[in-house]
Amino acid sequence: MEKVRYRFVYNRSGFLCVNGTALIQIEAYQDGKRKYFSTNIYIKPCQWDRAREEIRNHPNATGLNMMIYDARNKLEAMEIELWRNGNEVRLDRLVDLARQRGYCKSECRNSDVTVSTLMNRYIDTSLNRPSTKSNKMTTLKLLDEFRPNLHISEINIPFIKGFEKWMKDRGCAINTIAKHLTHLKTFLNSAENQGVMAHGQNPFNSIKITHDSYHSSYLSPAELELLEQYSRCMHRRPLDNEAKCLDAFLFCCYTGMRYSDFIRLSSANFDLRSKESWLSYKSVKTGIDVKIPLGLMFEGKGLELIERYGDDLLEFFNLPSNAVTDRVLKKAYHKAGLEKHISFHSSRHTNATILLYKGVSVTTVQKLLGHKNIRTTMRYCAVMDMTIVRELKKFSN
């Protein structure tokens, strides 16, 4: 087991207190694991030298630097004490000894400030994408509705259980509830690390968030053909919003694109001069560059849609909001004779499922979908009944 290594970390979670300061912590690293100890020293961002890991531009910089160095020296002294007593030096033992000695304990600050104020600031200062911030704001709105003027000291296990039941009674799905509880957990972890919540008072230390098993909705080849037939019927009359939304859905079935990537497309994303007719874009969600040969995907049906809209490509990519598009598509599905509950994102599941059914390798599908991790791709790999029959027939032969 390697020796524990220490370094100073400032504002680890990006959370600022009411007075604009953040906590300096000591990171203890050993064998790929990390533990964080509070120095109980709060400074403003402009007063921390990240490269040198020391305080600067502060009237008491010298004294405060001596205090954080002294806190680190105490941890190293406890490490030596464990070694001298014949104990294996592990991070968990170092944490237990630090708590027994009362070293590096966090102070509870801003306990008189409402959770709404703290969480608003936490969301604003985070580095999350706008969509993630919007989701977290939804969690905050639910909290405000469930318990107005909530203080962080009031958040305990009974509160979490009550909030969970309240969401369930409102008809929220299990995974929706899990999403909001995860947002709250992340906020409380940040508050605890910054000393806003007393150390050890985070109720999620004793609560396991329950998730439902992941079920991806997708269309079978026969169901996809049914939608294609309905789309061709719609093109016999002047195009309207329903026809455009359905064509966009089908295009994403052929390409595996997300809604967020589709609405950002322009003619610059297409190279139709080559035989494969490439579509290139950078994923909004992952930042990965994706290249799709439209001429080789689903018999070139995606390329046919692009050619059909011709000079009106920008209008094709100009969809209503995701929620409105889903409502429009729901009516189109019903008219086409589909009773299955699917959304626009089901096009992505459909793309992956059918490609895998046709024998395309998982790694190729991963590349086409722009996934960083192949385990994410595996979530889309539903086994259709048709696949089971085909494989068993091979075995019988």
Side-chain angles (χ1 to χ4, degrees):
M1 185 165 287
E2 68 178 19
K3 184 189 180 304
V4 181
R5 289 179 287 170
Y6 301 94
R7 74 184 184 102
F8 294 114
V9 178
Y10 173 71
N11 197 12
R12 180 164 67 96
S13 58
F15 184 90
L16 294 178
C17 296
V18 172
N19 58 2
T21 63
L23 177 67
I24 300 174
Q25 295 171 290
I26 302 171
E27 179 189 87
Y29 176 88
Q30 182 187 50
D31 294 330
K33 297 181 179 179
R34 293 174 173 83
K35 294 291 184 181
Y36 294 88
F37 300 87
S38 171
T39 64
N40 288 330
I41 294 177
Y42 293 76
I43 59 173
K44 296 181 178 180
C46 62
Q47 296 170 336
W48 179 249
D49 189 328
R50 183 176 180 181
R52 296 184 179 182
E53 293 183 14
E54 63 180 28
I55 300 169
R56 65 176 182 180
N57 301 329
H58 191 286
N60 300 316
T62 302
L64 291 176
N65 279 323
M66 291 178 63
M67 290 174 67
I68 63 174
Y69 296 146
D70 182 59
R72 184 180 63 186
N73 291 338
K74 287 179 179 178
L75 288 174
E76 291 179 329
M78 283 185 280
E79 181 186 353
I80 294 173
E81 181 181 340
L82 287 171
W83 172 72
R84 284 180 175 176
N85 291 335
N87 296 315
E88 185 180 22
V89 179
R90 299 200 313 262
L91 286 182
D92 55 348
R93 288 181 175 174
L94 186 62
V95 171
D96 291 338
L97 186 57
R99 288 176 179 171
Q100 293 173 14
R101 301 293 172 82
Y103 293 141
C104 304
K105 292 177 66 176
S106 297
E107 297 175 356
C108 183
R109 295 195 171 193
N110 295 327
S111 59
D112 58 334
V113 181
T114 64
V115 168
S116 180
T117 301
L118 292 172
M119 198 166 177
N120 259 306
R121 189 179 303 113
Y122 160 72
I123 295 172
D124 288 341
T125 58
S126 71
L127 300 178
N128 297 136
R129 296 188 305 271
S131 59
T132 304
K133 288 185 176 183
S134 177
N135 284 331
K136 290 185 175 180
M137 286 302 299
T138 302
T139 302
L140 178 55
K141 290 177 182 177
L142 288 174
L143 279 170
D144 286 340
E145 187 176 348
F146 174 65
R147 183 75 62 83
N149 300 317
L150 174 68
H151 290 262
I152 203 164
S153 59
E154 299 177 81
I155 301 180
N156 50 28
I157 293 178
F159 173 85
I160 299 297
K161 294 298 183 182
F163 182 46
E164 183 177 9
K165 183 179 183 303
W166 178 78
M167 288 190 288
K168 185 176 181 179
D169 292 342
R170 285 169 60 97
C172 294
I174 293 177
N175 285 341
T176 301
I177 295 173
K179 176 187 70 173
H180 293 305
L181 291 180
T182 300
H183 290 163
L184 179 58
K185 178 182 178 180
T186 304
F187 162 70
L188 293 181
N189 287 341
S190 174
E192 187 177 23
N193 290 333
Q194 294 299 324
V196 178
M197 169 175 272
H199 183 75
Q201 296 300 309
N202 189 340
F204 284 102
N205 294 336
S206 307
I207 295 177
K208 182 179 179 180
I209 299 176
T210 303
H211 294 79
D212 196 5
S213 56
Y214 182 82
H215 298 286
S216 59
S217 58
Y218 62 91
L219 297 177
S220 67
E223 291 168 332
L224 181 60
E225 172 63 23
L226 194 63
L227 272 187
E228 290 171 342
Q229 291 176 2
Y230 180 66
S231 175
R232 287 193 289 269
C233 291
M234 296 185 71
H235 280 275
R236 295 172 185 170
R237 62 176 191 262
L239 290 177
D240 55 14
N241 192 47
E242 181 181 350
K244 185 177 71 171
C245 288
L246 182 56
D247 283 343
F249 175 83
L250 290 173
F251 183 83
C252 290
C253 284
Y254 305 143
T255 60
M257 296 186 72
R258 297 181 180 89
Y259 169 89
S260 58
D261 294 321
F262 177 82
I263 61 174
R264 286 169 174 78
L265 289 179
S266 68
S267 56
N269 295 104
F270 297 88
D271 180 7
L272 305 181
R273 295 168 297 179
S274 63
K275 182 179 178 181
E276 294 80 10
S277 299
W278 291 92
L279 162 62
S280 304
Y281 68 95
K282 175 172 284 190
S283 172
V284 175
K285 183 175 182 179
T286 63
I288 293 178
D289 291 318
V290 181
K291 293 189 66 177
I292 299 174
L294 291 177
L296 302 178
M297 297 281 288
F298 289 78
E299 303 173 350
K301 293 178 181 177
L303 182 59
E304 292 177 5
L305 281 174
I306 294 300
E307 293 173 346
R308 178 183 298 172
Y309 280 87
D311 296 332
D312 294 329
L313 275 181
L314 289 181
E315 180 58 28
F316 180 41
F317 304 138
N318 182 27
L319 294 181
S321 68
N322 201 338
V324 172
T325 302
D326 279 342
R327 288 197 292 270
V328 173
L329 288 174
K330 186 177 180 180
K331 296 178 181 179
Y333 303 148
H334 181 72
K335 293 177 182 177
L338 283 177
E339 299 300 331
K340 180 180 290 186
H341 177 70
I342 52 178
S343 64
F344 193 97
H345 196 69
S346 301
S347 61
R348 189 166 167 84
H349 302 304
T350 300
N351 175 271
T353 304
I354 294 180
L355 287 178
L356 291 165
Y357 166 72
K358 291 185 176 181
V360 180
S361 68
V362 176
T363 52
T364 300
V365 175
Q366 175 193 2
K367 185 71 175 176
L368 291 170
L369 293 180
H371 285 155
K372 292 182 179 180
N373 194 316
I374 198 169
R375 286 180 299 179
T376 307
T377 312
M378 294 300 294
R379 295 193 314 170
Y380 295 88
C381 300
V383 180
M384 294 186 292
D385 293 340
M386 296 171 60
T387 309
I388 296 174
V389 173
R390 184 189 64 178
E391 296 300 321
L392 289 178
K393 283 184 177 180
K394 286 183 182 179
F395 178 76
S396 299
N397 293 333

